[in-house]
Amino acid sequence: MDPYDTPESTPRHGASSRLKGYFIGATPLRKRLESVRKQASFVPTPPRRKIPQCSQLQEDNDPQKFAFLLHKQWTLYSLTPLYKFSYTNLKEYSRLLSAFIAAEKQKGLAVEVGEDFNIKVTFSTLLGMKGTQRDPEAFLVQILSKSQLPSENRGQKVLWTGWFCCVFGDSLLETVPEDFTCVPLFLANGAETNTAIVGTWFQETFDCHFSSLAINAFNLSWMAAMWTACKMDQYMATTEFLWSVPCSPQSLDISYAIHPEDAKALWDSVHKTPGEVTQEEVDLFMDCLYSHFHRHFKIHLSATRLVRVSTSVASAHTDGKIKVSLNISS
Amino acid sequence: MDETVAEFIKRTILKIPMTEMMTILKAWDFLPENQLQTVNFRQRKESLVQDLVLLCESKRASLRDAALLDIIYTQFHQHQKVWDVFQMSKEPGEDVDLFDMERFKSSFEKILRRALKNVTVSFRDAEENAVWIRIAWGTQYRKPNQYKPVYVVYYSQTPYAFTSFCHLKSNTPLLSQALTVASNHHKIVKMDLRSRYLDSLKAIVFKQYNQKFETHNSTMPLQETLELDMHMDSRIIHENKIEKERVQRVTQETFGDYPQPRLEFAQYKLETKFRSDFHGGILAERKEPLRCLIKFSSPHLLEALKSLAPAGIADAPLSPLLTCIPNKGMNYFKIRDK
């Protein structure tokens, strides 16, 4: 069974009709794509994943650099390789994208009331945001608003952020030809109109293709298990699952929140192989949750659709949205 | 007319959708019919509101009139508020005296005024011996905030009162006390029941939901559907026919034939040990229970729950934790191991 039978994603609301076409459809690469920020990547789902002892990320001495990535909701897209993208041309790209955005906004394509047309775009590399040395460097694009008032001298508000990365993309990198840079995961935070404009520019400039990345229930369970497995000194948030029940005529949502210490205790009881997370363990973990629920309510959660998982570490929604809450620095 | 009253009336009328404007103004009965005829109801809403406010001014509308309009608006838009249920009780053996609505109202208002100088209390009688009470809270030094009132709907022939959710929780004890004393009760308790649908809360609490209605049923009973299909080709059989019929029957017995009262959610706080026949050994040594909070949400919860077993998503009979909701009149539960 192909675990990637994700349904065609629907066009993003808010993108103008002209751009809608870019956001529909699956690319062949998308099927093999998904980099979970913290640990393993997945390519056809392995039955077990090693917990890497040390990643590039951890060797980096400055966790502050990535602090801005936390506590924000990121919408995920998968991206085909960029043609003739160069890390030495970042300043040039900033200039070009700035001009493009200004032009688009003046066309009345994406006008937000009161928005400052004085914007600045920055491209920068995110050193260390990768799994192995082979992975291309991650880079960050930000749209900042320049305040027109001299009194607000440091008034540079970040309007939109997007970053591109490749983490443990070994199997992908093998098939990527020359002149192509493979950064398959794109994360965006900010107004969708801006995401659409930036996406269009990238597609026109580097001949690539974006598509929305949905996260199916299978992957959400893996994420829930792996995040629950993290050793924490302090839990900031409860561990919560949200299921959507396909009953008619009325919809039904079931939210199941479990105290994070209890979730961890359950995981510890299930987890047998040190240094690895196996499919059986993930299945058993979820099964225990289902069975506890069934004992009380006689409802089979496994027959419903898992839509969201949320832990102290991070949360993920099936529509391709994630939020990382805690930086595991140890 | 006071400026604040004018503003209050203006804002209240602005909330009213154009389709309901005439109906609500007529129910208010403050502006006479002939005057309403002179107003152009086809103009833009802002201008219409201005005209209406001017009319109110000329008739010297008071705060009392404005509050009444607010009650009527809320009666038409009950679903915009979330309602809690309070149950009162008398001392055992206490005499059941005849209820006097006027005495109740004056007593209720007096109790509130004694405690809080700044409070606006308004009443509007409703059917079934009920009264709608609107309370705008102030403080010792501040005038009442007309834009965050609390509503109480008291059914005088019953021990039940429904109150709209109040942000100022500090005033709840005072409100409870006023209700209890004014209605000659001894004790008041907040039930674990909450919903936007006042009618449903009433149905649950007054046990009115199990009346058979003559509704057109869009879903035919299962047997009929099965038989129809079987006439098509005798080689086609329905698998699990017996089981399906059993599920249908059990669901019908549990939920009844009638439309379910409308609730939006049910919440369960569980503190129970993990126990499973299939997963022996998991958490076996752990003495502490699993602390879970489970919330079911739906535009129409009970109908959704009713459809689960026939859809194969749940067993039949459904857990009593879910089916007891209308009977027990609760949608908040705390469950512990015995």
Side-chain angles (χ1 to χ4, degrees):
Chain A
M1 180 184 77
D2 181 1
Y4 292 91
D5 283 339
T6 44
E8 289 290 317
S9 34
T10 53
R12 295 265 149 206
H13 299 295
S16 72
S17 52
R18 204 181 64 162
L19 301 170
K20 253 186 211 163
Y22 293 129
F23 287 82
I24 311 175
T27 60
L29 266 181
R30 174 173 169 248
K31 282 193 170 277
R32 297 192 277 147
L33 259 165
E34 199 159 15
S35 281
V36 175
R37 178 191 169 229
K38 205 176 74 64
Q39 288 167 339
S41 71
F42 29 133
V43 177
T45 309
R48 50 190 63 230
R49 290 197 172 90
K50 277 212 154 20
I51 301 171
Q53 290 312 322
C54 182
S55 74
Q56 287 291 114
L57 201 53
Q58 289 160 349
E59 280 179 2
D60 200 306
N61 292 325
D62 183 14
Q64 278 309 309
K65 203 164 58 167
F66 299 109
F68 75 94
L69 297 176
L70 304 178
H71 307 297
K72 279 194 177 71
Q73 183 175 272
W74 300 100
T75 307
L76 306 178
Y77 299 88
S78 67
L79 180 57
T80 58
L82 306 175
Y83 182 63
K84 289 218 189 307
F85 173 87
S86 166
Y87 289 91
T88 54
N89 284 350
L90 295 186
K91 266 209 152 55
E92 175 76 4
Y93 298 149
S94 308
R95 228 180 27 84
L96 290 170
L97 183 51
S98 269
F100 184 79
I101 294 175
E104 288 292 319
K105 298 233 179 209
Q106 272 163 21
K107 268 194 228 169
L109 201 64
V111 180
E112 272 155 30
V113 179
E115 198 178 38
D116 202 344
F117 274 26
N118 261 342
I119 51 125
K120 194 172 93 160
V121 173
T122 57
F123 275 66
S124 49
T125 44
L126 271 178
L127 291 171
M129 182 62 81
K130 53 191 338 189
T132 63
Q133 280 289 28
R134 245 186 104 182
D135 289 329
E137 291 298 341
F139 63 93
L140 175 73
V141 179
Q142 283 188 309
I143 301 178
L144 308 146
S145 80
K146 283 189 293 193
S147 174
Q148 289 172 312
L149 302 170
S151 55
E152 295 174 24
N153 52 351
R154 296 215 303 71
Q156 274 204 359
K157 205 173 76 154
V158 176
L159 295 176
W160 180 94
T161 312
W163 50 292
F164 301 73
C165 67
C166 179
V167 182
F168 292 109
D170 296 316
S171 48
L172 291 173
L173 294 171
E174 277 159 25
T175 57
V176 168
E178 284 268 341
D179 293 338
F180 281 90
T181 309
C182 182
V183 275
L185 184 63
F186 171 58
L187 303 93
N189 169 274
E192 281 193 26
T193 47
N194 287 331
T195 309
I197 294 177
V198 172
T200 311
W201 183 82
F202 266 86
Q203 285 173 154
E204 285 175 5
T205 315
F206 303 110
D207 197 23
C208 59
H209 182 96
F210 288 85
S211 46
S212 296
L213 191 64
I215 309 176
N216 63 18
F218 179 80
N219 295 327
L220 285 175
S221 326
W222 264 92
M223 290 178 186
M226 289 171 74
W227 292 337
T228 305
C230 294
K231 190 165 179 307
M232 309 268 284
D233 298 320
Q234 215 188 348
Y235 290 102
M236 293 298 160
T238 185
T239 302
E240 193 181 330
F241 298 81
L242 182 64
W243 279 273
S244 166
V245 183
C247 60
S248 68
Q250 300 292 346
S251 65
L252 176 65
D253 288 330
I254 302 177
S255 147
Y256 184 166
I258 174 169
H259 195 288
E261 285 166 9
D262 297 340
K264 182 72 164 64
L266 177 62
W267 173 257
D268 288 340
S269 192
V270 159
H271 183 55
K272 297 281 181 288
T273 46
E276 264 186 353
V277 175
T278 67
Q279 183 69 64
E280 286 90 27
E281 287 168 354
V282 175
D283 289 341
L284 185 53
F285 178 68
M286 294 305 291
D287 234 18
C288 287
L289 291 173
Y290 293 152
S291 128
H292 187 65
F293 188 89
H294 183 268
R295 183 162 82 83
H296 293 88
F297 299 103
K298 298 280 180 273
I299 296 177
H300 300 285
L301 279 177
S302 46
T304 66
R305 195 168 75 103
L306 180 58
V307 155
R308 184 171 183 265
V309 302
S310 173
T311 65
S312 291
V313 173
S315 64
H317 189 285
T318 194
D319 288 344
K321 298 200 195 307
I322 64 166
K323 189 191 236 185
V324 180
S325 310
L326 211 61
N327 194 2
I328 312 287
S329 50
S330 57
Chain B
M1 191 161 82
D2 196 297
E3 221 177 69
T4 48
V5 174
E7 181 65 20
F8 179 35
I9 293 184
K10 178 168 144 218
R11 286 211 228 171
T12 311
I13 302 182
L14 264 174
K15 281 197 295 190
I16 306 175
M18 285 305 278
T19 47
E20 294 169 10
M21 191 63 79
M22 245 328 186
T23 326
I24 293 186
L25 288 176
K26 284 206 179 124
W28 189 29
D29 204 21
F30 177 74
L31 297 170
E33 184 84 40
N34 49 14
Q35 271 200 309
L36 283 177
Q37 305 270 2
T38 66
V39 178
N40 176 11
F41 278 84
R42 289 191 202 279
Q43 59 185 315
R44 258 180 53 236
K45 197 170 183 190
E46 287 87 24
S47 328
L48 170 65
V49 172
Q50 266 178 345
D51 288 351
L52 289 170
V53 172
L54 281 170
L55 273 182
C56 292
E57 255 178 347
S58 67
K59 285 213 80 187
R60 292 192 224 275
S62 63
L63 180 59
R64 201 154 162 264
D65 301 310
L68 190 60
L69 179 63
D70 200 16
I71 295 184
I72 297 172
Y73 172 81
T74 308
Q75 285 176 317
F76 272 77
H77 295 265
Q78 297 174 4
H79 311 320
Q80 285 178 1
K81 306 253 178 239
V82 177
W83 301 91
D84 282 320
V85 188
F86 283 86
Q87 184 179 22
M88 296 183 279
S89 52
K90 292 195 200 276
E91 280 275 276
E94 226 180 275
D95 283 334
V96 181
D97 24 331
L98 270 131
F99 181 82
D100 185 326
M101 184 57 88
E102 295 312 309
R103 207 168 50 127
F104 165 77
K105 288 183 196 173
S106 73
S107 175
F108 183 83
E109 185 161 357
K110 247 192 246 168
I111 296 171
L112 287 184
R113 282 204 189 285
R114 253 203 309 236
L116 263 181
K117 193 172 63 145
N118 285 317
V119 66
T120 312
V121 185
S122 325
F123 301 94
R124 186 168 196 248
D125 290 337
E127 320 123 342
E128 299 175 74
N129 292 301
V131 59
W132 276 65
I133 313 172
R134 177 184 181 277
I135 304 141
W137 302 105
T139 65
Q140 281 287 68
Y141 309 106
R142 265 202 310 228
K143 288 196 119 170
N145 181 352
Q146 300 300 337
Y147 300 100
K148 292 217 165 106
V150 165
Y151 291 90
V152 179
V153 184
Y154 173 47
Y155 283 80
S156 60
Q157 301 300 316
T158 76
Y160 294 103
F162 304 91
T163 61
S164 66
F165 180 75
C166 183
H167 295 275
L168 275 167
K169 298 246 188 317
S170 53
N171 287 318
T172 312
L174 175 59
L175 180 61
S176 310
Q177 189 196 21
L179 253 177
T180 321
V181 173
S183 63
N184 281 323
H185 284 93
H186 181 71
K187 217 172 64 154
I188 186 168
V189 146
K190 181 154 171 291
M191 292 176 70
D192 287 323
L193 185 59
R194 179 182 286 171
S195 172
R196 285 187 183 277
Y197 300 99
L198 206 49
D199 299 331
S200 296
L201 290 176
K202 266 174 59 190
I204 290 173
V205 144
F206 301 152
K207 305 257 183 268
Q208 289 169 343
Y209 53 89
N210 52 4
Q211 288 153 5
K212 288 211 187 290
F213 290 96
E214 301 261 339
T215 49
H216 69 278
N217 232 344
S218 49
T219 55
M220 281 199 297
L222 188 65
Q223 267 137 330
E224 284 178 23
T225 358
L226 288 177
E227 275 166 24
L228 269 175
D229 286 352
M230 297 227 290
H231 285 145
M232 298 204 173
D233 188 332
S234 57
R235 290 171 298 178
I236 300 174
I237 57 161
H238 279 271
E239 235 180 275
N240 299 334
K241 179 173 168 219
I242 297 174
E243 177 61 17
K244 282 205 174 102
E245 282 169 8
R246 183 195 77 86
V247 167
Q248 198 78 337
R249 188 175 35 85
V250 169
T251 304
Q252 197 132 324
E253 278 165 12
T254 328
F255 285 90
D257 253 337
Y258 40 82
Q260 302 293 317
R262 196 168 175 184
L263 292 172
E264 310 87 72
F265 68 92
Q267 186 174 289
Y268 298 80
K269 191 157 175 217
L270 301 178
E271 274 177 38
T272 52
K273 272 195 73 167
F274 179 79
R275 258 193 291 268
S276 171
D277 297 325
F278 301 103
H279 306 108
I282 303 285
L283 289 179
E285 281 108 45
R286 191 177 166 90
K287 295 204 178 39
E288 299 92 347
L290 293 182
R291 291 159 283 181
C292 304
L293 185 68
I294 301 196
K295 188 167 174 185
F296 295 85
S297 334
S298 167
H300 197 325
L301 180 68
L302 295 174
E303 286 293 338
L305 292 177
K306 184 175 172 183
S307 67
L308 290 181
I313 298 172
D315 298 338
L318 203 57
S319 159
L321 285 182
L322 293 167
T323 55
C324 74
I325 292 173
N327 290 331
K328 281 212 176 145
M330 287 169 82
N331 61 358
Y332 277 84
F333 298 82
K334 283 198 172 72
I335 314 285
R336 287 208 171 89
D337 283 322
K338 287 210 183 22

